[in-house]
Amino acid sequence: ETKFPFILQNMHRYFLYAALVILAILWVDVVKACVFANPDGTHSFGVGGGTLAILASTTFLSLYTFSCHSLRHILGGKLDCFSCAVAGGPRHKTWAVVSILNEHHMAWAWWSLLAVCFADFYVRMCSMGVFTDPRLF
């Protein structure tokens, strides 16, 4: 992986690291979307339509990211023997879960694209006053 075109695989891995950082920020946004400001100035937990839209988009983006073959390789794809490696049992279980997710990597890509587009559209319409965001609880 030190010569072209194989060096591009390293770039894919670096973008995975960046995506993991962005996912952490998006999950913080999901938590913040559950905090509603009350008329008396206090805050309370709640869920609205926008909260569900942001939760769905972040969930599908997480599934897409965690199904990446680069993550699968990092977790254990380079090992020939899980039982010979340090923490081989847990690494094998994690690798197996990522392998199951990896089977549907393209589906997660499409679902995340649709969910992000819908969440962006929904939040934009709410901010413009076109939609009223229902507070479910």
Side-chain angles (χ1 to χ4, degrees), residues 1 13 68-82 85 88 91-96 98-99:
E1 295 181 357
R13 198 169 307 131
C68 180
H69 66 276
S70 287
L71 182 63
R72 187 171 173 247
H73 177 76
I74 291 167
L75 293 174
K78 60 186 175 278
L79 293 178
D80 291 329
C81 175
F82 281 103
R91 284 181 74 179
H92 181 263
K93 288 179 184 175
T94 308
W95 175 82
V98 173
S99 296

Side-chain angles (χ1 to χ4, degrees), residues 16-99:
L16 171 67
Y17 299 147
L20 292 172
V21 171
I22 292 169
L23 271 181
I25 294 167
L26 289 174
W27 279 108
V28 169
D29 286 344
V30 169
V31 171
K32 287 182 178 180
C34 295
V35 177
F36 284 82
N38 297 323
D40 62 358
T42 62
H43 293 82
S44 62
F45 175 80
V47 175
T51 307
L52 295 177
I54 292 170
L55 174 65
S57 69
T58 304
T59 300
F60 282 119
L61 283 170
S62 296
L63 288 169
Y64 174 61
T65 303
F66 292 135
S67 69
C68 180
H69 66 276
S70 287
L71 182 63
R72 187 171 173 247
H73 177 76
I74 291 167
L75 293 174
K78 60 186 175 278
L79 293 178
D80 291 329
C81 175
F82 281 103
S83 62
C84 303
V86 175
R91 284 181 74 179
H92 181 263
K93 288 179 184 175
T94 308
W95 175 82
V97 169
V98 173
S99 296

